[in-house]
Every structure is written in structure tokens, then in C-alpha cells.
Amino acid sequence: MLLLLALSSFVAAQDGVPDRLSELHDWIGLDAPPGREHLATETIMRALPGWKRDALGNLMLRKGSGSPKRVVACALDRPAFAVTEITDEGYLRLREIGAGRQHPLWIQFHEGQQIRILTRGGPVNGVVIVKSTHLQRGRAAAAVTTLDDLWVDVGATSRVEVRRLGIEMLDPVVRDSRAWFYGDFVSGHLASVRAGCAAVANAAQGKISKGETIFLLTTLRSFGHDGFEAALRSLGRVDEVTLLDQPAENAPTSEPFSERKIEKPPYLPESTGLTSLTILAPRVRFSGSLVESVQLADFEKLLLAVAKAAGVESERTSYRAGFRVETHQFSSSDDATAGLLKSLAEIPSVAGHERPVREAILAALPAWARSRARTDNEGNLILEVGPDRDPSMFIAHQDEVGFEVTNIAADGTVSLRTRGGLFQSLWEGQPALLHFDRPGEPSLRGVFVPRENATTKQPEALTAWFGYDGDELKRRGVANGLSVTGFKHAMRLGATRFTARALDDRAGSTALVLAVRRIVPAALKRKVIFAWSVREETGLEGARALASQYGSSVKRVYSVDTFVSSDSPVETTRFAHAPLGKGAVIRGLDNASVAPVAEIDRVLNIARTQNIPLQVGATNGGTDGSDFIRYGVVHVALSWPGRYSHSPVEVLDLRDLQALERLIYAIASAP
């Protein structure tokens, strides 16, 4: 019985990865951009003794002796981007590193996503910017994203700040999406090739039954397999060469792996004495995308095929490589603003599915406020405090944009509808999570299905796949109406910036919670109502119910929501230009309301008295407070400037959010 890799016997899973997928998950997660393969090889060499590294960074391990003389190889690197310009304003521009077959949407898959710049001092967080949804309404449909469209925001405001972060010209840039598992699949960039590398390293742990086998983990695949060619030249004549690589474009999908002969490839030197080599590759889904997926059962069959090609004896003990890929950790000091914002932003709560974030907001309130808070029939969370006179209301919304299931096909493909305004291209080809409405039930992992070809930026419709057929999905409780989001991960950018999905409006919710924590109920001179509404993104539905209930009694309402700022190199600054880091914003004019001049002056005066930095501006969109105006309530929208609205990488400056929280408290407690 061949025991090459007993995946089910692995030690405890890492970072929630199931034991049986952990090995492949770790290999896919290794960073190895062309020219920086040492980021992976040093990890491998520490975990697997015996490998030697040559001048080009190739790893080699020789076992056995005599004839036949075999080579079994796999290349570690995968295409990335490089920093090729640092602008005066602190943005980065990019070009690709390497070439080769890529997905037609390869560049677009990075737009509006979190990335890492791999500097000499370690990874630095960044985001690839995208135009704000709110500022693009009515504009012509865009073409597929190209390199000219890519700008990177690292939270800097100047070239000097970029340098302080340790970023230099030519530093590699990679998508900050480690390996992703779902069902019996593991996915990631070039998952097929990394599965091959795992199989090569696995076979290298065995005993060679006859002859000699040279195992290679090579470099510079993205430059025509230069590392592989150089390693072969150093070996002289060999009897056979097997390379683990991507499947061919026309590879059969009925077999767990493909095997093909390649005649006279340019990277096979004459010195080997061979005119052809064999390529082995696992079957994949979504080839070439960031969610290229390999099934566990296919990987196990590939392990057997590689062992056979390597001449490994049929009996040996299973092993575990022993290395792990460290996931990015959120870095915050004792900053209460960043900590609370992170905890709320990472909770999935698509419009109509707000329970999880409502519970988190309630738990974050001080004890006195929790005891007074109530939830109405719509799901709005309401807190009333202070004497019953001259009432005012502050309102933020709980929900975020996302998707809902509309159909489950027999093959498990899930059709989706959008909830709120968003660019579907920013989710296409990215990890997906399906959320059950039953409390405590874990989300189901999957992927948003990428188009195989595209001539326009936006897909006509977006679907998701979770690794199971339709019957199995239904057995697991998947049904129409459940919500789907991308994977969310909050990150700090630079010294003061913060990025996450759903800062609209978890930042507003955070500001309200922090203001409530400051309040001493007995010290208030008037009634203050704090409300967290539902279904704002789908038509201000929760606010409409609140306006019906409170419109005849409250005197002023302050909606607390994003000021969608044009503070970005890809937006016009004709309007909405509120720079990040310059303070909170009075959203004096948008598509749904205009603030009275007297109220703008009143808020400005309060801010001036308290030394709170405050800007005034006009932007697009509407807020919850606009529904109160028809009841005769005075409305002023209070905001923070935010970049890249309704995208996975919304960005704010924590100093602005702190200014907003101080402003809310100052208005609420004013005499």
C-alpha cells in the first residue's frame, strides 16, 4: 500500500484549515515572486533538510545513484507586479514581473483589492485603488482594467512617507489573498503548480528504488523557466525529465491529472541528451485566476503519479512538511477606535441580514446603554437617553452592500442578486462566503466564479460556487435569500489609515458607540436618540420606519455616514474633495438633501469651540436623515472622508473618525 501523504493524519489544523487540506494550503500560500523566490525557499529549507540552493536560487536534492538518472522538477515563482513609480503624493505605480499564460482578467482581479508590497524589511500593506461607486453613476461603461489603471495606496501622503515605510523601486507587489479552502478544494494563484511543488517535495522524502533521482524546486518560471534550464545544464546527461506545471488549455477535465509530452521545449538544453520531457498537472477549476482550484482527491492521485515518475519505493512513512505560512495580523496598538472599527467591519451584515452586527454593536455599548437599548420590528437598534425635551437623533446604518442567493443550479452554481450599489467586477474571481441566518452557524466558503473571457469590465451577472452540487447545498441548508459576501479583513495602512470592506457604515456605527461611551446620562440637558438603522443600502427602509415613529417629535437629526471623497488620483476634484486626515466633514449637499446654512454654522461653531477639525463639502448619494425632512425635521449629515466607496478596500483616516466621534459627543452634550 503506497503511503505517500496521509492527509487525514495531519496534526491540528492551522488557522482553521481542515487537517486534510493543510499541507496543500501551506504550499499555495508561499510568496515567491520572480527574483524573490528566497522568500519561499528559505522556509522550505528550514522545514525540509537536505535541499541545497544554487546561485539562481534553485533548490536541489539528489537521491540514489546509477541508472536511470531522472529529474523531477517544479517551479516555485509566480507572476507578480513591481513598484516602478512612487509619486509625489505617495501613490505607487506598477508593471508586471514575468510573462506567460495568464487569465484574461488577471490585472483586473487586483483592482480594488488588498495587496502586500514585499520590502526588504517585510511586507507592507496596501490597496489597489478603484473609483468610488457613488462618484461614477451615469458614466459610460468601462473597458477591462489594464496596468495603466492600477494605482496603489499605502496610506502615505508623500514620496518621503513611502520611503519611511521601507518601500523601494522594484519591490514586488502581490495580492493579499493567501490560499483559500472550500469544500474539498484548495484555491489560490497557480494552485496547480504549487500542488505540483508539494508533490515533488513529498516524493523527495521517499527512498529511491533504483537509479538516481534529482528533485528540483526552481526559479524564474515567469521568465521562460530560466532557473529550470540552468539547473538542467548543471546536471549533464539525464534519462528522463518530469516537470510539474499548469495543465494545458485543452487538458481533459474527466481525469484527476494530465500527462503530456513536450517536444523540444526551449528550456530543455541539448546537454541533457533529451528531445522531450513529460509534464504532469492536476485538474483545475478556474484556471489562471486568483481562485484556481485543486480538489483534494485529484491532488492525492497526482502524488502517486509523481512518486512513480521519481522512482520512489512503494512503502514508506507519511510525513508533514512542518512549515506554515503566516497570515497577516492586524496591527493596532491600544487604539480603541481602530480596535472597535475592526471588530464591526469584519462582521458580514448585508442589507436585510443585520442581526450579527446589531448584536456586536449592542455588546460594545456600556452596560447602562445596553440595558436601555431596544430593537424595533424592523431591526433598527434604538437608544434613548436624557430628559424628555428638545430631542435630537444621531443615526448610522448597520448594513453593507453585498449579494443574495436567487437560484441554486444542479451543479451547485449559485446565482446572485446585488443588495445595494456596487461594481460586481470587484468580487469576480475572489473568495466568497455564504452566510446562514441561523445564529452560530459558520459561513460556507466558496468563490465568486470568474468569466473565462471578457471584453467589458463588468460581468452581466455574478455567480458563486461552494464546492458542492445543488442537492448537497440544499442539504446543508442553502436556500434563496441567504446573503453572500467576500472575505473581509481589516488592515492598517501607514501610520493613520485603515482599510476594510463595509466602512460604510461601520465607521459611523463605531463613532456612535464611542460617543455613547463618553456620555454621562445624568449630565445631558436634552433627550438624545442614537439609532442604528437597517436596509439603508436598499432604499433607506429602516430610516423610513424611524422617521414615521420619531418624525413628529425630534427637532434635529444627524445622519452619520461616509462622505464619499474624490481624494484619489483617479477622480475629478470638481466636487467631493475632502482630503483624508483633515478632519470630519459636514455633508452639506448630496443627491437627497441640503443642510440649512444656519445649522452648518451651528455645527461649525461647536467644532471650533472644541478644537475639532471639520470640513464642509458636497458629494453624491443620500443618507438616512433625508427621510426625516418631510416631517419638518432639520437634517445635517455628519461624516468622515472616505475613499473607494462600496469596494472591498474602502479607506479612511482614523484621525478623521476620532474627530467625528468627538463632534457627535460635543453636539449631543451641548447646553
Side-chain angles (χ1 to χ4, degrees):
M1 178 70 178
L2 192 63
L3 296 175
L4 284 170
L5 194 58
L7 292 172
S8 61
S9 68
F10 283 174
V11 295
Q14 300 174 13
D15 297 326
V17 184
D19 294 345
R20 59 202 174 88
L21 298 177
S22 185
E23 179 79 14
L24 185 51
H25 179 273
D26 289 347
W27 276 91
I28 293 173
L30 287 170
D31 281 328
R36 305 290 179 94
E37 292 91 347
H38 67 277
L39 297 171
T41 57
E42 288 174 0
T43 298
I44 294 168
M45 292 173 72
R46 285 194 299 269
L48 302 175
W51 292 85
K52 305 297 182 183
R53 187 161 53 190
D54 68 14
L56 283 185
N58 300 307
L59 293 186
M60 181 183 296
L61 189 151
R62 305 182 75 141
K63 283 200 165 185
S65 61
S67 182
K69 186 177 181 181
R70 317 171 196 84
V71 175
V72 180
C74 178
L76 286 167
D77 66 297
R78 52 193 177 193
F81 299 94
V83 175
T84 51
E85 181 185 5
I86 302 172
T87 72
D88 291 340
E89 295 77 23
Y91 294 97
L92 311 181
R93 305 305 307 274
L94 309 175
R95 65 151 288 174
E96 291 172 292
I97 308 175
R101 176 160 58 93
Q102 295 288 352
H103 194 284
L105 294 172
W106 162 248
I107 293 174
Q108 182 163 298
F109 288 147
H110 291 78
E111 183 181 40
Q113 307 300 329
Q114 296 173 340
I115 53 89
R116 285 173 294 116
I117 301 94
L118 304 180
T119 75
R120 299 186 189 192
V124 173
N125 298 332
V127 300
V128 179
I129 74 176
V130 63
K131 293 181 178 180
S132 288
T133 304
H134 295 79
L135 302 182
Q136 302 308 307
R137 292 174 178 172
R139 299 190 188 181
V144 172
T145 301
T146 70
L147 277 171
D148 289 339
D149 302 313
L150 296 194
W151 296 72
V152 173
D153 183 347
V154 293
T157 60
S158 67
R159 190 191 307 268
V160 172
E161 286 189 15
V162 172
R163 299 292 190 189
R164 286 175 184 161
L165 292 171
I167 297 171
E168 301 176 357
M169 292 287 286
L170 305 186
D171 278 343
V173 176
V174 297
R175 171 77 169 91
D176 189 38
S177 66
R178 304 291 186 165
W180 180 253
F181 67 89
Y182 62 99
D184 285 334
F185 290 82
V186 177
S187 72
H189 182 204
L190 287 187
S192 56
V193 179
R194 287 300 177 82
C197 292
V200 170
N202 178 75
Q205 301 301 299
K207 183 178 180 181
I208 306 303
S209 58
K210 182 182 178 182
E212 181 184 16
T213 304
I214 299 99
F215 298 94
L216 296 174
L217 296 173
T218 63
T219 63
L220 301 176
R221 175 187 182 276
S222 305
F223 287 84
H225 277 295
D226 282 354
F228 180 45
E229 181 177 352
L232 288 176
R233 288 185 186 280
S234 72
L235 296 174
R237 297 185 71 83
V238 296
D239 296 302
E240 54 192 67
V241 175
T242 302
L243 176 65
L244 280 294
D245 206 86
Q246 281 180 296
E249 290 186 3
N250 59 351
T253 58
S254 59
E255 299 297 328
F257 66 90
S258 59
E259 181 176 348
R260 68 189 192 273
K261 287 280 187 182
I262 301 293
E263 296 291 335
K264 297 182 179 179
Y267 47 80
L268 182 64
E270 293 182 1
S271 59
T272 62
L274 299 176
T275 60
S276 67
L277 55 75
T278 299
I279 290 185
L280 291 177
R283 174 172 52 186
V284 299
R285 282 179 175 261
F286 319 125
S287 178
S289 72
L290 291 177
V291 292
E292 182 175 283
S293 301
V294 176
Q295 193 167 22
L296 176 62
D298 294 342
F299 177 53
E300 291 173 329
K301 295 284 178 39
L302 181 70
L303 290 171
L304 297 173
V306 173
K308 181 179 178 181
V312 172
E313 288 186 354
S314 61
E315 294 285 347
R316 76 173 191 81
T317 305
S318 63
Y319 87 105
R320 173 158 176 80
F323 67 80
R324 68 174 298 176
V325 177
E326 294 183 2
T327 56
H328 173 84
Q329 297 297 318
F330 177 81
S331 59
S332 66
S333 54
D334 56 351
D335 189 336
T337 304
L340 179 58
L341 180 57
K342 169 183 164 58
S343 68
L344 296 184
E346 291 185 346
I347 296 171
S349 283
V350 175
H353 305 267
E354 293 91 351
R355 177 191 51 79
V357 79
R358 180 168 57 248
E359 292 175 350
I361 291 169
L362 188 61
L365 293 173
W368 67 263
R370 285 198 301 275
S371 66
R372 300 187 189 190
R374 64 182 178 87
T375 301
D376 68 12
N377 292 335
E378 296 292 325
N380 299 307
L381 181 64
I382 304 164
L383 169 64
E384 299 186 26
V385 59
D388 192 14
R389 60 185 179 85
D390 194 20
S392 60
M393 175 182 284
F394 297 88
I395 180 171
H397 65 86
Q398 304 172 42
D399 59 313
E400 63 186 277
V401 299
F403 304 88
E404 279 185 344
V405 175
T406 59
N407 185 64
I408 304 169
D411 67 354
T413 301
V414 173
S415 298
L416 304 170
R417 69 161 177 161
T418 58
R419 297 292 283 164
L422 54 81
F423 295 140
Q424 295 186 90
S425 62
L426 302 180
W427 278 261
E428 181 181 18
Q430 308 293 337
L433 287 167
L434 184 147
H435 310 289
F436 298 97
D437 290 331
R438 296 183 293 269
E441 186 162 3
S443 301
L444 190 64
R445 287 170 170 252
V447 297
F448 291 103
V449 177
R451 290 169 287 172
E452 293 184 2
N453 292 285
T455 57
T456 59
K457 186 170 188 174
Q458 298 304 322
E460 290 184 7
L462 200 60
T463 61
W465 194 69
F466 298 91
Y468 304 107
D469 64 24
D471 289 340
E472 178 62 18
L473 286 180
K474 292 174 183 176
R475 190 188 70 78
R476 290 171 175 264
V478 177
N480 290 350
L482 292 182
S483 64
V484 177
T485 67
F487 174 73
K488 296 201 293 180
H489 173 54
M491 296 196 318
R492 294 288 289 267
L493 297 181
T496 62
R497 304 283 164 85
F498 185 105
T499 181
R501 168 71 215 109
L503 295 185
D504 174 13
D505 190 25
R506 305 299 159 72
S509 296
T510 296
L512 289 194
V513 170
L514 293 174
V516 170
R517 289 179 180 178
R518 282 176 174 252
I519 283 175
V520 177
L524 292 180
K525 306 300 183 184
R526 61 179 57 83
K527 176 175 284 188
V528 181
I529 304 162
F530 295 93
W532 292 265
S533 70
V534 296
R535 302 191 303 283
E536 188 268 356
E537 299 292 0
T538 54
L540 314 181
E541 296 174 42
R544 191 170 300 118
L546 288 169
S548 176
Q549 180 181 355
Y550 288 98
S552 61
S553 59
V554 297
K555 305 301 182 185
R556 295 182 175 89
V557 63
Y558 303 93
S559 53
V560 181
D561 207 338
T562 315
F563 182 93
V564 180
S565 177
S566 62
D567 183 18
S568 160
V570 297
E571 303 284 9
T572 175
T573 56
R574 176 178 59 81
F575 77 112
H577 189 63
L580 272 66
K582 301 298 184 181
V585 187
I586 296 176
R587 183 168 160 160
L589 171 66
D590 61 24
N591 299 93
S593 67
V594 56
V597 174
E599 287 302 312
I600 292 176
D601 290 344
R602 177 176 175 272
V603 173
L604 284 170
N605 185 59
I606 291 173
R608 193 176 302 113
T609 302
Q610 299 293 324
N611 293 316
I612 299 170
L614 183 59
Q615 308 175 70
V616 179
T619 190
N620 278 351
T623 65
D624 280 328
S626 60
D627 246 309
F628 285 75
I629 298 172
R630 56 197 174 96
Y631 290 90
V633 180
V634 173
H635 169 234
V636 180
L638 306 178
S639 306
W640 69 95
R643 293 174 178 165
Y644 327 132
S645 70
H646 284 194
S647 82
V649 293
E650 295 172 354
V651 170
L652 58 72
D653 193 300
L654 291 167
R655 296 170 297 179
D656 298 334
L657 187 56
Q658 290 162 348
L660 176 61
E661 176 258 318
R662 290 175 56 208
L663 180 63
I664 293 168
Y665 171 73
I667 295 171
S669 58

